[in-house]
Amino acid sequence: MALLEVDRLVVEFPGRRGTLRALDEISFSIEPGEVLGVVGESGAGKSLTGAAIIGLLEPPGRVASGQIRLEGTRIDRFTDAQMRPIRGRRIGAIFQDPLTTLDPLVSVGKQLVETMQTHLKLSDRDARARAVGWLEQVGIPAAAERVGAYPHQFSGGMRQRVVIALALCAEPKLVIADEPTTALDVSIQAQIIALLRRLTTDHGTSVMLVTHDMGVIAETADRVAVMYAGRIAEIGPVRDVVLHPSHPYTEGLMGSIPQLEHRVERLRQIDGAMPRLTAIPPGCAFNPRCGRVLERCRVDRPDLLARGTTLAACWNMVPMDDVT
Amino acid sequence: MFSFILSRILQAIPVLLAVGFISFAMFAFVGDPVTIMLGQDYTEAQRAALVSQLGLDQPFFVQYAKFVVEAVQGNFGISYRLARPVGALIAERLPATVELALTAAVLALAIGLPLGVYTGIRRNSALSRLIMVFSLLGVSLPTFLIGILLILVFAVQLGVLPSFGRGDVVQLGHWSTGFLTASGRRALVLPAITLGLFQMTLIMRLVRSEMLEVLRSDYIKFARARGLTPRAINFGHALGNTLVPVITIVGLQLGGLIAFSIVTETVFQWPGMGLLLVQSIGVADIPVMSAYLLLIAVVFVGINLCVDLLYFAVDPRLRANR
């Protein structure tokens, strides 16, 4: 059984000028131990998907329909009190900016201890020992001395390591990492990703890795979901999606990545911009920008259609041989 | 830590000198105490004698220098109006004001802080909205009006609490306290509410808005994502971060309670320093006014020092830099 199943999930923001549909019937699943990459432009709904799964949508956002199942149990209708034992304990979260995710007034050791003691039955002494252990695991030097240190005494990269320790310390089955390296120096990004990959492999934790860095996805993820305007455009094994994109949007996304091997005068770009949630065109949301658009694309919204190991929401997929 | 306190005290010395100078300079040019003291009929010789007796014929800076030298020794001169040493006068009035301000401060904090936290956490509940509406009254009604309304209701119409004075006091050494007698405590109720109401609503609104700000922060979201209980989130993480900015303002406000209890003391004829000041201003009693302002400056310097020390206790980011 899949660890997490998201089934036709719809997230809406009711407002004065009508309801905005921020996530429109997205479906995917994550298997135990699997790393699912989620890519897309800003505003495509990547982070929102993560927030919906841990039940921390900002009001007035709400799950309007669809289901989220964790190990077969529906959690999308859970109250806050019902979600609490799940957050941290079964689904961990890593946020984008490590400079703001840690409480500046509480020592990192205490933040670890309180997280573990909330979810696991641990004596103060055991929790403290484990806190030191976690700091060691995430590569904080002199962990035993640093356990009483405060967040401002760590660098950005070190703080993200602490955040990773906090996300994993109650031993969740799934970690949602929301752009964990975006706020970090490029030189540190690879280290953090490698650390996350190593720890989740060691502990058998699944990861939902939200990012807009295709390089990170290609290196770390087992499967990847490409999101566009609140919908999933394409989802499949990383190799297939990267090397043989089926959706024209994915193809455009891959074409816009600079490559060292062959120099090009100008990077290819996708003309136009992603539509705002108030103005999503009928049919396929990508149709105004698509080079392969058909009449049908303007009226009929494509469901996820299978091609080989990949699923793509497209009526006119990129042919296999037509890939650069 | 000790060197920090010492440096703060050293820094306070120029501040106090400046305050002393300004207050002394201001009062040297307001009104003529001699005319008031002599009454309507006096000869020129009487006037000259009094002027030289008070030292008012000397140059301004000489007067100021004398004032400072005397003040450092705890001697603030003789009140023109009451012909008694100012130090003794203020020492007599100090307990009344301190007890009033302290009660008002405790009241303001003990009610304002929890209400602020409550309205911050439950910001959409009906009770929160009700509290917010009432708090508007508290911040917008002037102190004297609140005092008069309270007197009207509780002293005049219901007749349950006294409308003026301090009630019976007990002498503890040099300190006269109203806390120990029933009538003293009863007399304290209305003035303390009057004085504390504005501070209470201010603290409450301040705590509430800081709390709302903090609850939106990333580390609170992350604390939720870690599955912490609402109790741990609100009191373990949100409250502490709320207090950092609140401490500054509350500290200054509480200093203001002592300094500006003048209105309340006047309304309730409370025999404290504020009332003494008002009476002294009426007759241009310069030594009393100068000494009062200096004392208030000392109070503010002291409170600022306490605020800085509290910061160290609350915020580790400051501790690390020492």
Side-chain angles (χ1 to χ4, degrees), chain A residues 294-317:
Chain A
L294 305 174
E295 253 334 286
R296 187 182 187 187
C297 304
R298 300 189 208 277
V299 273
D300 227 358
R301 181 182 161 186
D303 213 339
L304 282 173
L305 306 171
R307 185 175 62 181
T309 50
T310 334
L311 296 168
C314 184
W315 297 124
N316 190 16
M317 293 185 203

Side-chain angles (χ1 to χ4, degrees), chain A:
Chain A
M1 184 179 33
L3 175 65
L4 180 84
E5 292 163 288
V6 175
D7 190 6
R8 298 199 168 269
L9 179 69
V10 175
V11 167
E12 290 181 339
F13 285 80
R16 258 178 238 160
R17 291 200 210 135
T19 301
L20 289 182
R21 190 168 270 219
L23 291 183
D24 196 355
E25 302 209 334
I26 62 166
S27 303
F28 63 89
S29 63
I30 300 178
E31 301 296 322
E34 182 184 47
V35 177
L36 174 74
V38 179
V39 282
E41 293 170 59
S42 304
K46 310 180 299 275
S47 302
L48 212 55
T49 309
I53 292 169
I54 48 176
L56 287 177
L57 286 170
E58 297 270 342
R62 61 191 180 85
V63 174
S65 65
Q67 296 192 355
I68 302 169
R69 290 188 296 271
L70 182 68
E71 293 178 310
T73 312
R74 267 191 81 171
I75 59 171
D76 52 282
R77 292 279 176 266
F78 271 17
T79 62
D80 210 51
Q82 285 174 304
M83 276 308 284
R84 223 174 292 131
I86 292 176
R87 294 186 199 129
R89 178 71 184 97
R90 295 174 66 193
I91 307 177
I94 297 169
F95 286 5
Q96 183 171 338
D97 186 356
L99 300 183
T100 57
T101 30
L102 296 169
D103 183 342
L105 303 188
V106 180
S107 72
V108 297
K110 206 173 158 212
Q111 299 194 42
L112 278 163
V113 165
E114 72 175 349
T115 310
M116 287 186 279
Q117 286 190 326
T118 302
H119 296 294
L120 314 168
K121 282 204 156 48
L122 286 176
S123 68
D124 290 351
R125 172 188 284 242
D126 289 350
R128 198 156 176 83
R130 279 207 200 185
V132 175
W134 272 107
L135 291 180
E136 276 167 3
Q137 282 197 59
V138 296
I140 305 277
E145 290 146 45
R146 305 280 270 162
V147 71
Y150 291 89
H152 71 271
Q153 294 167 303
F154 294 87
S155 68
M158 286 294 158
R159 283 194 225 184
Q160 196 63 311
R161 288 169 189 263
V162 173
V163 170
I164 290 173
L166 278 165
L168 295 176
C169 69
E171 295 157 9
K173 299 270 178 56
L174 170 68
V175 174
I176 297 174
D178 188 356
E179 311 211 18
T181 57
T182 307
L184 299 176
D185 276 356
V186 180
S187 54
I188 310 224
Q189 291 183 356
Q191 289 177 20
I192 295 294
I193 291 292
L195 172 72
L196 186 61
R197 190 75 182 104
R198 178 168 58 76
L199 284 179
T200 51
T201 309
D202 290 354
H203 293 266
T205 316
S206 303
V207 183
M208 178 175 145
L209 181 61
V210 175
T211 176
H212 42 236
D213 187 340
M214 275 310 296
V216 166
I217 297 279
E219 277 170 39
T220 13
D222 301 309
R223 287 192 308 136
V224 58
V226 180
M227 290 191 71
Y228 186 80
R231 304 170 183 183
I232 289 184
E234 179 165 359
I235 181 168
V238 153
R239 239 190 115 68
D240 297 346
V241 173
V242 170
L243 297 179
H244 310 291
S246 302
H247 198 287
Y249 176 64
T250 318
E251 189 194 23
L253 212 57
M254 298 304 154
S256 62
I257 301 171
Q259 287 175 337
L260 287 175
E261 289 90 73
H262 24 95
R263 282 184 73 87
V264 284
E265 276 303 301
R266 200 186 153 90
L267 277 176
R268 270 202 284 156
Q269 60 180 44
I270 309 174
D271 290 333
M274 195 172 68
R276 280 194 279 175
L277 293 178
T278 45
I280 292 181
C284 171
F286 187 60
N287 80 66
R289 304 170 73 187
C290 183
R292 303 180 53 82
V293 63
L294 305 174
E295 253 334 286
R296 187 182 187 187
C297 304
R298 300 189 208 277
V299 273
D300 227 358
R301 181 182 161 186
D303 213 339
L304 282 173
L305 306 171
R307 185 175 62 181
T309 50
T310 334
L311 296 168
C314 184
W315 297 124
N316 190 16
M317 293 185 203
V318 182
M320 280 297 210
D321 46 55
D322 188 32
V323 173
T324 40

